Short mmCIF file of all heavy atoms in Angstrom, two decimals:
data_model
loop_
_atom_site.label_atom_id
_atom_site.label_comp_id
_atom_site.label_asym_id
_atom_site.label_seq_id
_atom_site.Cartn_x
_atom_site.Cartn_y
_atom_site.Cartn_z
N LEU U 1 14.42 -12.66 -11.17
CA LEU U 1 13.39 -11.61 -11.07
C LEU U 1 13.95 -10.29 -10.57
O LEU U 1 13.20 -9.42 -10.14
CB LEU U 1 12.26 -12.09 -10.16
CG LEU U 1 11.52 -13.36 -10.60
CD1 LEU U 1 10.39 -13.68 -9.63
CD2 LEU U 1 11.00 -13.24 -12.02
N SER U 2 15.26 -10.13 -10.63
CA SER U 2 15.87 -8.88 -10.18
C SER U 2 15.31 -7.70 -10.97
O SER U 2 15.14 -7.77 -12.19
CB SER U 2 17.39 -8.94 -10.38
OG SER U 2 17.95 -9.97 -9.60
N GLY U 3 15.00 -6.63 -10.25
CA GLY U 3 14.46 -5.44 -10.87
C GLY U 3 12.96 -5.45 -11.03
O GLY U 3 12.38 -4.45 -11.45
N ARG U 4 12.32 -6.56 -10.70
CA ARG U 4 10.87 -6.63 -10.83
C ARG U 4 10.21 -6.39 -9.47
O ARG U 4 10.80 -6.58 -8.42
CB ARG U 4 10.43 -7.98 -11.39
CG ARG U 4 11.11 -8.27 -12.72
CD ARG U 4 10.44 -9.35 -13.49
NE ARG U 4 11.29 -9.77 -14.59
CZ ARG U 4 10.87 -10.44 -15.65
NH1 ARG U 4 9.60 -10.77 -15.76
NH2 ARG U 4 11.71 -10.78 -16.61
N VAL U 5 8.96 -5.99 -9.55
CA VAL U 5 8.18 -5.72 -8.34
C VAL U 5 6.97 -6.66 -8.34
O VAL U 5 6.23 -6.73 -9.32
CB VAL U 5 7.70 -4.25 -8.30
CG1 VAL U 5 6.81 -4.02 -7.09
CG2 VAL U 5 8.89 -3.30 -8.29
N ALA U 6 6.81 -7.37 -7.23
CA ALA U 6 5.69 -8.31 -7.09
C ALA U 6 4.83 -7.91 -5.91
O ALA U 6 5.36 -7.54 -4.85
CB ALA U 6 6.22 -9.73 -6.89
N VAL U 7 3.53 -8.01 -6.06
CA VAL U 7 2.59 -7.84 -4.95
C VAL U 7 1.93 -9.19 -4.71
O VAL U 7 1.42 -9.81 -5.65
CB VAL U 7 1.53 -6.77 -5.26
CG1 VAL U 7 0.45 -6.75 -4.17
CG2 VAL U 7 2.18 -5.39 -5.39
N VAL U 8 1.96 -9.63 -3.47
CA VAL U 8 1.38 -10.92 -3.09
C VAL U 8 0.24 -10.68 -2.11
O VAL U 8 0.48 -10.16 -1.00
CB VAL U 8 2.42 -11.86 -2.45
CG1 VAL U 8 1.80 -13.21 -2.11
CG2 VAL U 8 3.62 -12.04 -3.39
N THR U 9 -0.99 -11.01 -2.48
CA THR U 9 -2.10 -10.90 -1.55
C THR U 9 -2.10 -12.13 -0.64
O THR U 9 -1.60 -13.19 -1.01
CB THR U 9 -3.45 -10.79 -2.27
OG1 THR U 9 -3.81 -12.07 -2.82
CG2 THR U 9 -3.40 -9.75 -3.38
N GLY U 10 -2.65 -11.98 0.55
CA GLY U 10 -2.65 -13.09 1.49
C GLY U 10 -1.24 -13.47 1.92
O GLY U 10 -0.98 -14.63 2.29
N ALA U 11 -0.32 -12.51 1.89
CA ALA U 11 1.09 -12.80 2.11
C ALA U 11 1.45 -13.01 3.57
O ALA U 11 2.60 -13.32 3.88
CB ALA U 11 1.96 -11.69 1.52
N SER U 12 0.48 -12.85 4.47
CA SER U 12 0.77 -13.13 5.88
C SER U 12 0.50 -14.59 6.23
O SER U 12 0.85 -15.04 7.32
CB SER U 12 -0.06 -12.22 6.78
OG SER U 12 -1.45 -12.49 6.62
N GLY U 13 -0.13 -15.35 5.32
CA GLY U 13 -0.44 -16.74 5.57
C GLY U 13 0.73 -17.65 5.25
O GLY U 13 1.78 -17.22 4.76
N ALA U 14 0.54 -18.95 5.48
CA ALA U 14 1.62 -19.91 5.30
C ALA U 14 2.06 -19.99 3.84
O ALA U 14 3.25 -19.86 3.52
CB ALA U 14 1.20 -21.28 5.81
N LEU U 15 1.12 -20.23 2.93
CA LEU U 15 1.49 -20.39 1.53
C LEU U 15 1.83 -19.04 0.89
O LEU U 15 2.83 -18.93 0.17
CB LEU U 15 0.36 -21.08 0.76
CG LEU U 15 -0.02 -22.48 1.23
CD1 LEU U 15 -1.01 -23.12 0.25
CD2 LEU U 15 1.21 -23.37 1.37
N GLY U 16 1.01 -18.03 1.12
CA GLY U 16 1.30 -16.72 0.56
C GLY U 16 2.60 -16.15 1.08
O GLY U 16 3.37 -15.52 0.33
N GLY U 17 2.88 -16.40 2.35
CA GLY U 17 4.14 -15.93 2.92
C GLY U 17 5.34 -16.61 2.31
O GLY U 17 6.37 -15.98 2.04
N ALA U 18 5.24 -17.91 2.08
CA ALA U 18 6.33 -18.63 1.44
C ALA U 18 6.57 -18.11 0.03
O ALA U 18 7.71 -17.98 -0.42
CB ALA U 18 6.02 -20.12 1.41
N MET U 19 5.49 -17.79 -0.68
CA MET U 19 5.63 -17.26 -2.03
C MET U 19 6.29 -15.89 -2.02
O MET U 19 7.16 -15.60 -2.86
CB MET U 19 4.27 -17.19 -2.70
CG MET U 19 3.64 -18.55 -2.96
SD MET U 19 2.02 -18.38 -3.76
CE MET U 19 1.29 -19.94 -3.30
N ALA U 20 5.88 -15.03 -1.09
CA ALA U 20 6.50 -13.71 -0.99
C ALA U 20 7.99 -13.84 -0.71
O ALA U 20 8.82 -13.15 -1.32
CB ALA U 20 5.81 -12.90 0.11
N THR U 21 8.35 -14.73 0.20
CA THR U 21 9.75 -14.95 0.54
C THR U 21 10.53 -15.50 -0.65
O THR U 21 11.66 -15.08 -0.93
CB THR U 21 9.86 -15.91 1.74
OG1 THR U 21 9.15 -15.35 2.85
CG2 THR U 21 11.31 -16.15 2.12
N GLY U 22 9.91 -16.43 -1.39
CA GLY U 22 10.57 -17.00 -2.56
C GLY U 22 10.80 -15.98 -3.66
O GLY U 22 11.85 -15.97 -4.31
N LEU U 23 9.83 -15.11 -3.89
CA LEU U 23 9.98 -14.07 -4.90
C LEU U 23 11.11 -13.11 -4.53
O LEU U 23 11.90 -12.70 -5.38
CB LEU U 23 8.67 -13.30 -5.05
CG LEU U 23 7.53 -14.05 -5.74
CD1 LEU U 23 6.21 -13.33 -5.52
CD2 LEU U 23 7.80 -14.21 -7.23
N ALA U 24 11.18 -12.76 -3.24
CA ALA U 24 12.26 -11.87 -2.78
C ALA U 24 13.62 -12.53 -2.95
O ALA U 24 14.59 -11.89 -3.36
CB ALA U 24 12.02 -11.48 -1.32
N ALA U 25 13.70 -13.83 -2.66
CA ALA U 25 14.97 -14.55 -2.81
C ALA U 25 15.42 -14.59 -4.26
O ALA U 25 16.62 -14.69 -4.55
CB ALA U 25 14.84 -15.96 -2.25
N ALA U 26 14.45 -14.52 -5.20
CA ALA U 26 14.77 -14.53 -6.63
C ALA U 26 15.10 -13.13 -7.15
O ALA U 26 15.33 -12.96 -8.34
CB ALA U 26 13.62 -15.12 -7.42
N GLY U 27 15.08 -12.14 -6.26
CA GLY U 27 15.49 -10.79 -6.63
C GLY U 27 14.40 -9.77 -6.75
O GLY U 27 14.67 -8.58 -6.97
N ALA U 28 13.15 -10.18 -6.62
CA ALA U 28 12.04 -9.23 -6.75
C ALA U 28 11.88 -8.39 -5.49
O ALA U 28 12.14 -8.87 -4.37
CB ALA U 28 10.74 -9.97 -7.05
N SER U 29 11.44 -7.16 -5.66
CA SER U 29 10.93 -6.37 -4.54
C SER U 29 9.49 -6.79 -4.32
O SER U 29 8.74 -6.94 -5.28
CB SER U 29 11.01 -4.87 -4.85
OG SER U 29 12.35 -4.47 -5.06
N VAL U 30 9.10 -6.97 -3.06
CA VAL U 30 7.81 -7.61 -2.79
C VAL U 30 6.93 -6.74 -1.91
O VAL U 30 7.32 -6.30 -0.82
CB VAL U 30 8.01 -8.98 -2.09
CG1 VAL U 30 6.66 -9.64 -1.82
CG2 VAL U 30 8.87 -9.90 -2.96
N GLY U 31 5.71 -6.51 -2.42
CA GLY U 31 4.68 -5.88 -1.61
C GLY U 31 3.90 -6.96 -0.87
O GLY U 31 3.26 -7.81 -1.50
N VAL U 32 4.01 -6.96 0.44
CA VAL U 32 3.38 -7.96 1.30
C VAL U 32 2.00 -7.44 1.67
O VAL U 32 1.86 -6.59 2.55
CB VAL U 32 4.23 -8.23 2.55
CG1 VAL U 32 3.55 -9.22 3.48
CG2 VAL U 32 5.62 -8.75 2.15
N LEU U 33 0.97 -7.94 1.00
CA LEU U 33 -0.38 -7.41 1.17
C LEU U 33 -1.24 -8.38 1.97
O LEU U 33 -1.36 -9.56 1.64
CB LEU U 33 -1.02 -7.14 -0.20
CG LEU U 33 -2.33 -6.37 -0.21
CD1 LEU U 33 -2.46 -5.56 -1.52
CD2 LEU U 33 -3.56 -7.26 -0.04
N ALA U 34 -1.83 -7.86 3.03
CA ALA U 34 -2.74 -8.63 3.88
C ALA U 34 -3.52 -7.64 4.73
O ALA U 34 -3.36 -6.42 4.61
CB ALA U 34 -1.97 -9.63 4.75
N ARG U 35 -4.37 -8.16 5.63
CA ARG U 35 -5.22 -7.28 6.44
C ARG U 35 -4.58 -6.91 7.77
O ARG U 35 -4.86 -5.84 8.31
CB ARG U 35 -6.57 -7.95 6.69
CG ARG U 35 -7.42 -8.12 5.45
CD ARG U 35 -8.72 -8.82 5.77
NE ARG U 35 -8.51 -10.18 6.28
CZ ARG U 35 -9.47 -11.00 6.67
NH1 ARG U 35 -10.74 -10.58 6.64
NH2 ARG U 35 -9.20 -12.20 7.10
N ASN U 36 -3.77 -7.79 8.32
CA ASN U 36 -3.25 -7.62 9.68
C ASN U 36 -1.85 -7.01 9.67
O ASN U 36 -0.90 -7.64 9.21
CB ASN U 36 -3.24 -8.98 10.39
CG ASN U 36 -2.85 -8.87 11.85
OD1 ASN U 36 -1.69 -8.64 12.17
ND2 ASN U 36 -3.81 -9.03 12.74
N ARG U 37 -1.73 -5.79 10.17
CA ARG U 37 -0.46 -5.07 10.13
C ARG U 37 0.65 -5.81 10.89
O ARG U 37 1.79 -5.90 10.42
CB ARG U 37 -0.64 -3.67 10.69
CG ARG U 37 0.66 -2.91 10.94
CD ARG U 37 1.54 -2.76 9.70
NE ARG U 37 1.01 -1.78 8.78
CZ ARG U 37 1.62 -1.48 7.62
NH1 ARG U 37 2.72 -2.10 7.25
NH2 ARG U 37 1.08 -0.57 6.82
N GLU U 38 0.32 -6.36 12.03
CA GLU U 38 1.34 -7.05 12.83
C GLU U 38 1.93 -8.24 12.07
O GLU U 38 3.15 -8.44 12.03
CB GLU U 38 0.75 -7.50 14.16
CG GLU U 38 1.76 -8.17 15.08
CD GLU U 38 1.15 -8.59 16.41
OE1 GLU U 38 -0.01 -8.18 16.69
OE2 GLU U 38 1.81 -9.32 17.16
N ARG U 39 1.06 -9.01 11.45
CA ARG U 39 1.53 -10.18 10.71
C ARG U 39 2.28 -9.76 9.45
O ARG U 39 3.25 -10.42 9.03
CB ARG U 39 0.36 -11.09 10.36
CG ARG U 39 -0.33 -11.67 11.59
CD ARG U 39 -1.47 -12.59 11.22
NE ARG U 39 -0.98 -13.79 10.55
CZ ARG U 39 -1.78 -14.75 10.09
NH1 ARG U 39 -3.10 -14.64 10.23
NH2 ARG U 39 -1.28 -15.80 9.50
N ILE U 40 1.84 -8.69 8.82
CA ILE U 40 2.55 -8.15 7.67
C ILE U 40 3.97 -7.76 8.06
O ILE U 40 4.95 -8.10 7.38
CB ILE U 40 1.80 -6.93 7.10
CG1 ILE U 40 0.50 -7.36 6.43
CG2 ILE U 40 2.69 -6.17 6.10
CD1 ILE U 40 -0.38 -6.19 6.04
N ASP U 41 4.09 -7.03 9.16
CA ASP U 41 5.40 -6.55 9.60
C ASP U 41 6.34 -7.71 9.90
O ASP U 41 7.56 -7.62 9.63
CB ASP U 41 5.25 -5.66 10.83
CG ASP U 41 4.61 -4.32 10.51
OD1 ASP U 41 4.54 -3.97 9.31
OD2 ASP U 41 4.16 -3.63 11.45
N ARG U 42 5.82 -8.79 10.45
CA ARG U 42 6.67 -9.96 10.72
C ARG U 42 7.20 -10.54 9.42
O ARG U 42 8.37 -10.94 9.31
CB ARG U 42 5.90 -11.02 11.51
CG ARG U 42 5.68 -10.67 12.98
CD ARG U 42 5.40 -11.91 13.80
NE ARG U 42 4.18 -12.59 13.39
CZ ARG U 42 2.98 -12.36 13.93
NH1 ARG U 42 2.85 -11.47 14.90
NH2 ARG U 42 1.91 -13.02 13.52
N ARG U 43 6.35 -10.62 8.40
CA ARG U 43 6.78 -11.17 7.13
C ARG U 43 7.79 -10.27 6.45
O ARG U 43 8.80 -10.74 5.89
CB ARG U 43 5.57 -11.38 6.21
CG ARG U 43 5.89 -12.05 4.90
CD ARG U 43 6.40 -13.47 5.07
NE ARG U 43 5.37 -14.32 5.67
CZ ARG U 43 5.56 -15.58 6.02
NH1 ARG U 43 6.75 -16.13 5.84
NH2 ARG U 43 4.58 -16.29 6.56
N VAL U 44 7.55 -8.96 6.48
CA VAL U 44 8.49 -8.01 5.90
C VAL U 44 9.85 -8.13 6.58
O VAL U 44 10.90 -8.16 5.91
CB VAL U 44 7.94 -6.57 6.00
CG1 VAL U 44 9.03 -5.56 5.65
CG2 VAL U 44 6.74 -6.40 5.08
N ALA U 45 9.84 -8.21 7.91
CA ALA U 45 11.10 -8.32 8.65
C ALA U 45 11.85 -9.60 8.29
O ALA U 45 13.08 -9.60 8.16
CB ALA U 45 10.83 -8.27 10.15
N GLU U 46 11.11 -10.68 8.12
CA GLU U 46 11.73 -11.95 7.73
C GLU U 46 12.41 -11.84 6.37
O GLU U 46 13.53 -12.33 6.18
CB GLU U 46 10.67 -13.05 7.71
CG GLU U 46 11.17 -14.40 7.24
CD GLU U 46 10.05 -15.42 7.11
OE1 GLU U 46 9.12 -15.40 7.94
OE2 GLU U 46 10.10 -16.22 6.16
N ILE U 47 11.73 -11.21 5.43
CA ILE U 47 12.30 -11.05 4.09
C ILE U 47 13.53 -10.15 4.14
O ILE U 47 14.57 -10.44 3.51
CB ILE U 47 11.24 -10.47 3.13
CG1 ILE U 47 10.15 -11.52 2.86
CG2 ILE U 47 11.89 -10.02 1.81
CD1 ILE U 47 8.96 -11.00 2.09
#
């Protein structure tokens, strides 16, 4: 998925977060979309 851009809603949760991380590992740039900024930032930092 290199060069692609993915947006994942609910990406601060357990399943959505795993999917966002998996997409990034496959080469995609990932928009981590959720309501809580603190939890979003943790997921972004992890990726």
Side-chain angles (χ1 to χ4, degrees):
L1 300 182
S2 297
R4 304 197 192 198
V5 176
V7 172
V8 182
T9 73
S12 64
L15 299 188
M19 293 180 203
T21 301
L23 289 166
S29 298
V30 180
V32 177
L33 190 150
R35 293 178 298 178
N36 185 287
R37 169 58 75 180
E38 183 179 349
R39 297 182 66 181
I40 290 171
D41 289 345
R42 286 201 298 267
R43 184 64 64 184
V44 169
E46 177 185 323
I47 291 172

